[in-house]
Amino acid sequence: MFYKGDLKAFVIERIVDHLVENLNANDVNGTNWHIYKDILTDYVKTRKRLHLEKLPQDETGLNMLQFQYVEDAKDFFWKGTWEQEPEWDWVGVTTLFTFYWDKTIETINFAKKLVKDQKNLMVGGVLASIQPKEIEEATGIKPHVGILRPGGIHEGDCQNIDELELDYSILDEIDYHYQMDNAYYRYTTRGCIRHCKFCAVPTLEPIYQTFIPLKARLQRVDELYGPQKDLLLMDNNVLASKDFPRIIQEIVDCGFQRGALFKQPNRLEISVRNLRNSINDRAYIRKTWKLIDEFYDSLKGEESYKVYCIREKYHIDKFLTSTKDNLLAAYEELKDLYTKHHKPGKGVQRYVDFNQGVDARLFTPEKVELLSRIAIRPLRIAFDDLKTEKKYCEAIRMSVAGGLKDFSNYLLYNFEDHPEDLYLRLRINVDLCDELQVSIYSFPMKYHPIRKTDEMDQDYSHNRDYIGKHWNRKYIRAVQAVLNSTKGKIGKGTPFFEKAFGRNLDEYFKLLEMPETMIIYRLFFEWMSSDAAHAAAIDLFGNDLICESSTDSWWQLYNHCKETLSPEIWERVNDTIHRNDFEDIDGRFLNVEARRLLSYYSNYRKDIVEKDTDLFMMKKKYDEAPTIVAKLHNRKK
């Protein structure tokens, strides 16, 4: 059983499952208690008596036995009895990034309550492999380090778990929707020949494995779960493999050659088949219900009414009230209609994605020719250091010459780089887009240490607070504010880039110094210095003093303070800005102009979102302007 989310909700789910089983097993009236599962869940979760009134009962209410079962289930949760009577023989916890430390430790300690014997609580994954000692000290559980090998879970087990195909059904056991839920996830190599200081791969996969077979595993996935559209490969440095030509040929043989098309199979048919075969009832009850629910939402008229009646007849209008038998019975009545609407057509493009990126330093014309044979989109090329500019640009040009047009890359920042390095790398990508007429999407990624080092005053690997030696908190926040507006990526288009990050380094650094609220609401604060804004302010308030909140007014005062304040005071002001610490400005600064400047950083955060403030009213006026309304309308379209 797979679970992602609030483990208390999982405990309630299991308690209610057992409650429904007991009620059904001991009901003399033939009531199907499963159709009341949502009501029972609400009662166990909230203890509110009003939920009991929605349950089937005679003149005297629930009979004594039924009432006792329900009360026992409620008490089993709220009195913590489930902690003294754990259900599970074995529990596994996967850990992710080190900055999820607090949540990870909380989860492990909770999982200890779920397993009968804590020696059968297995903790593994990224964080556990990087910081096993710290995990054990915090939880008392000694984690598994690295990749699972034969015998990793059960002594004497000869099966290499790491080489098995993934169990795709578990993604349907939970409400959380994984974006790439229609792709094969595989490795064709393991490890990396590099040993970058910022990277966890040397710890997780210390031995470079040059080839891992692909075709048989994908065929097994097809047999069990149906064909997948895309191929997502998680290799850390595939170009380093001496078997790279063999890897490409396997990708082609698996149906991912350049221009390959994918025809969507009948997903409901596959889901029902697996439900009938009891491959994973928990998953395929949920998936079958979801597919029928989506199908119902897509219909109109008589067809919609027909499916509505089937859902009502078998009590599958809600997930919690749906049972395996009822879903299978409902499918028999609606499968012909579903098949009628299943039209795969000519197919859609398939894509191959080396998701972790490829190494620009290893490009050759021969390797590019091989890459051009497969349906790769985008080609991700790492550009973590400005020192690799020459090799990176050569790799892009080589790829374009080989017929590739769609690129993406990761740009590490906040490591040993300077703030201007990030701007220059972004500018290089934008310029390459214009020059070569290609698409390059850049994804700046903030560096977080994976271990505590001697120079750290605290363990920054356990949070997101680390600031690189050439960066400061204000600059980090400014970059993140821009990226929030651009959805975390920067694409082609010089005007877009220059508006986001500036036309040159001077404008970029002005942006980094700018109050965060002015970055987030950039166009509004620029508008505040316009004639239209002055007119709106006079109309609203009888004066235009609020227009001193403009970006222009801030910048003028910033430069004035920089030029006229004493070096000592300016250093304190500058340090305050860079530490992003604007608490008690009036108490810390006597100089009036210094306080005025710093007020731009502290006063507007709440004012722009709190109703009835002057700034909120001006923002409303700005949003109602005809040109702004038109822009918002076009953006939505």
Side-chain angles (χ1 to χ4, degrees):
M1 181 178 290
F2 174 67
Y3 194 82
K4 175 186 173 70
D6 181 0
L7 285 175
K8 281 191 176 180
F10 173 69
V11 171
I12 292 173
E13 177 188 324
R14 295 296 298 166
I15 291 172
V16 175
D17 283 343
H18 295 312
L19 170 59
V20 169
E21 288 175 10
N22 286 332
L23 288 169
N24 279 332
N26 295 279
D27 190 283
V28 295
N29 298 319
T31 303
N32 180 5
W33 284 94
H34 203 104
I35 67 176
Y36 300 102
K37 187 175 177 182
D38 55 336
I39 298 171
L40 293 167
T41 299
D42 287 337
Y43 178 63
V44 172
K45 185 189 300 183
T46 67
R47 298 184 287 187
K48 292 181 178 178
R49 293 280 173 178
L50 61 92
H51 296 298
L52 294 181
E53 299 171 6
K54 303 173 186 176
L55 297 173
Q57 45 198 296
D58 54 30
E59 298 80 9
T60 60
L62 288 171
N63 69 45
M64 187 74 71
L65 183 61
Q66 292 167 345
F67 180 77
Q68 195 57 53
Y69 277 135
V70 174
E71 286 299 289
D72 286 347
K74 180 258 295 179
D75 291 342
F76 192 77
F77 174 70
W78 283 100
K79 291 183 178 180
T81 312
W82 60 272
E83 295 184 35
Q84 282 75 52
E85 302 176 19
E87 178 181 4
W88 302 97
D89 297 318
W90 187 92
V91 173
V93 176
T94 296
T95 64
L96 299 175
F97 301 111
T98 62
F99 49 74
Y100 289 140
W101 173 264
D102 290 344
K103 179 59 69 176
T104 301
I105 299 304
E106 177 188 331
T107 301
I108 294 170
N109 284 329
F110 193 100
K112 286 157 65 174
K113 303 173 185 178
L114 301 175
V115 66
K116 295 175 182 176
D117 188 337
Q118 289 186 15
K119 72 179 182 181
N120 292 325
L121 173 59
M122 184 177 188
V123 177
V126 178
L127 170 53
S129 297
I130 295 170
Q131 299 188 6
K133 182 180 176 183
E134 290 86 342
I135 290 280
E136 186 172 4
E137 289 174 351
T139 66
I141 303 297
K142 186 173 183 177
H144 177 88
V145 176
I147 295 171
L148 274 174
R149 300 298 185 190
I153 292 182
H154 300 294
E155 200 172 323
D157 183 3
C158 298
Q159 176 65 62
N160 190 342
I161 296 171
D162 189 60
E163 292 185 1
L164 289 174
E165 66 278 351
L166 299 180
D167 181 357
Y168 286 76
S169 71
I170 67 174
L171 298 182
D172 294 301
E173 291 188 52
I174 55 175
D175 290 328
Y176 183 86
H177 178 253
Y178 286 88
Q179 188 175 6
M180 292 291 290
D181 65 346
N182 195 12
Y184 302 98
Y185 286 76
R186 290 305 315 164
Y187 289 92
T188 61
T189 63
R190 273 294 178 94
C192 181
I193 62 170
R194 312 289 184 190
H195 289 82
C196 302
K197 289 188 290 184
F198 57 80
C199 187
V201 171
T203 300
L204 301 172
E205 303 172 15
I207 300 173
Y208 187 68
Q209 191 174 349
T210 64
F211 180 76
I212 299 173
L214 186 67
K215 190 173 183 179
R217 289 170 174 79
L218 266 57
Q219 288 174 341
R220 179 64 176 157
V221 171
D222 290 351
E223 292 168 5
L224 286 174
Y225 312 109
Q228 309 295 306
K229 174 179 174 290
D230 298 323
L231 176 60
L232 194 148
L233 297 168
M234 297 174 287
D235 301 57
N236 292 297
N237 199 336
V238 68
L239 293 187
S241 174
K242 62 181 178 59
D243 295 305
F244 187 60
R246 185 181 173 193
I247 291 170
I248 295 296
Q249 187 57 53
E250 271 230 288
I251 293 172
V252 170
D253 292 344
C254 289
F256 286 92
Q257 69 279 7
R258 189 171 185 173
L261 297 177
F262 173 77
K263 291 186 178 181
Q264 185 71 259
N266 187 320
R267 295 188 298 158
L268 182 57
E269 185 177 73
I270 294 171
S271 184
V272 168
R273 180 200 69 195
N274 288 349
L275 186 57
R276 282 200 183 105
N277 294 336
S278 299
I279 289 178
N280 182 342
D281 281 0
R282 176 181 165 86
Y284 285 109
I285 286 173
R286 183 182 292 269
K287 185 164 189 175
T288 302
W289 175 84
K290 182 180 178 183
L291 290 170
I292 293 174
D293 190 59
E294 290 174 349
F295 179 55
Y296 170 66
D297 287 342
S298 71
L299 299 175
K300 295 179 181 179
E302 291 184 7
E303 290 182 334
S304 176
Y305 182 68
K306 179 179 180 180
V307 177
Y308 169 82
C309 293
I310 293 171
R311 281 158 45 100
E312 288 289 312
K313 176 181 177 181
Y314 292 103
H315 305 290
I316 63 169
D317 52 319
K318 299 175 185 175
F319 167 67
L320 282 178
T321 62
S322 301
T323 65
K324 176 177 179 177
D325 290 341
N326 283 5
L327 284 167
L328 293 177
Y331 172 72
E332 291 302 316
E333 292 196 27
L334 60 78
K335 65 180 179 182
D336 290 341
L337 182 61
Y338 189 92
T339 302
K340 169 189 167 185
H341 283 269
H342 174 66
K343 298 176 180 178
K346 295 181 179 179
V348 294
Q349 287 285 334
R350 281 186 137 176
Y351 297 121
V352 178
D353 182 2
F354 286 101
N355 190 256
Q356 303 303 302
V358 294
D359 192 336
R361 294 162 289 185
L362 298 176
F363 268 67
T364 65
E366 292 77 19
K367 289 177 180 176
V368 169
E369 191 278 327
L370 288 169
L371 285 169
S372 69
R373 291 178 54 200
I374 61 176
I376 191 162
R377 182 179 179 185
L379 175 58
R380 302 181 191 271
I381 307 177
F383 192 12
D384 290 325
D385 193 327
L386 193 58
K387 294 175 183 176
T388 64
E389 175 186 354
K390 182 179 178 182
K391 286 290 185 182
Y392 172 76
C393 292
E394 286 177 357
I396 293 288
R397 295 180 193 281
M398 212 180 289
S399 300
V400 173
L404 301 176
K405 299 290 184 181
D406 295 285
F407 302 90
S408 173
N409 61 33
Y410 305 114
L411 296 99
L412 187 72
Y413 70 98
N414 189 48
F415 181 49
E416 295 178 348
D417 56 312
H418 291 75
E420 56 265 34
D421 292 354
L422 175 60
Y423 178 88
L424 293 172
R425 283 180 287 160
L426 288 167
R427 168 63 82 176
I428 287 167
N429 278 332
V430 172
D431 290 344
L432 284 170
C433 285
D434 289 345
E435 176 194 344
L436 303 173
Q437 291 300 294
V438 295
S439 174
I440 304 176
Y441 278 99
S442 301
F443 291 86
M445 299 182 69
K446 179 174 175 269
Y447 168 73
H448 300 279
I450 59 175
R451 296 182 181 87
K452 185 181 186 300
T453 57
D454 293 338
E455 63 269 18
M456 289 183 188
D457 58 349
Q458 61 175 283
D459 194 346
Y460 288 107
S461 71
H462 290 171
N463 55 48
R464 299 187 186 222
D465 298 335
Y466 178 76
I467 305 297
K469 59 185 177 180
H470 301 300
W471 287 78
N472 60 61
R473 192 166 302 282
K474 174 65 183 70
Y475 287 6
I476 292 291
R477 295 280 299 182
V479 170
Q480 290 172 333
V482 174
L483 294 176
N484 284 341
S485 300
T486 65
K487 305 281 192 279
K489 61 186 180 182
I490 304 295
K492 63 189 298 186
T494 299
F496 174 81
F497 167 74
E498 291 183 344
K499 188 62 184 175
F501 281 95
R503 291 173 294 179
N504 50 50
L505 282 173
D506 287 340
E507 288 192 2
Y508 170 66
F509 275 101
K510 173 185 174 182
L511 182 74
L512 296 183
E513 301 286 353
M514 188 181 293
E516 188 175 334
T517 310
M518 287 187 171
I519 298 173
I520 296 171
Y521 300 96
R522 185 100 59 92
L523 297 179
F524 166 68
F525 281 99
E526 290 175 355
W527 173 82
M528 286 286 282
S529 61
S530 69
D531 292 341
H534 283 271
I538 291 171
D539 181 54
L540 284 171
F541 314 116
N543 62 70
D544 59 359
L545 293 178
I546 188 65
C547 292
E548 290 184 6
S549 304
S550 70
T551 306
D552 283 349
S553 297
W554 159 76
W555 187 234
Q556 289 172 15
L557 182 57
Y558 179 95
N559 286 307
H560 174 74
C561 288
K562 185 176 180 179
E563 293 167 2
T564 61
L565 294 179
S566 69
E568 293 79 15
I569 294 177
W570 175 248
E571 184 177 353
R572 286 183 59 212
V573 170
N574 203 38
D575 180 63
T576 297
I577 293 172
H578 290 170
R579 285 189 293 108
N580 209 45
D581 176 17
F582 306 109
E583 295 294 325
D584 191 27
I585 295 302
D586 291 341
R588 289 159 53 193
F589 288 89
L590 297 177
N591 185 280
V592 175
E593 290 188 326
R595 293 210 304 257
R596 274 186 61 217
L597 174 62
L598 293 173
S599 71
Y600 280 94
Y601 294 85
S602 57
N603 288 357
Y604 300 154
R605 293 182 177 186
K606 293 182 179 179
D607 286 1
I608 198 164
V609 294
E610 287 190 354
K611 291 183 178 181
D612 301 326
T613 63
D614 290 354
L615 206 57
F616 181 89
M617 294 171 70
M618 286 293 287
K619 177 67 166 56
K620 187 176 179 181
K621 203 77 171 175
Y622 167 79
D623 290 337
E624 292 171 351
T627 54
I628 303 303
V629 172
K631 286 180 181 178
L632 291 173
H633 177 67
N634 288 332
R635 188 183 302 165
K636 286 179 182 177
K637 285 204 297 182

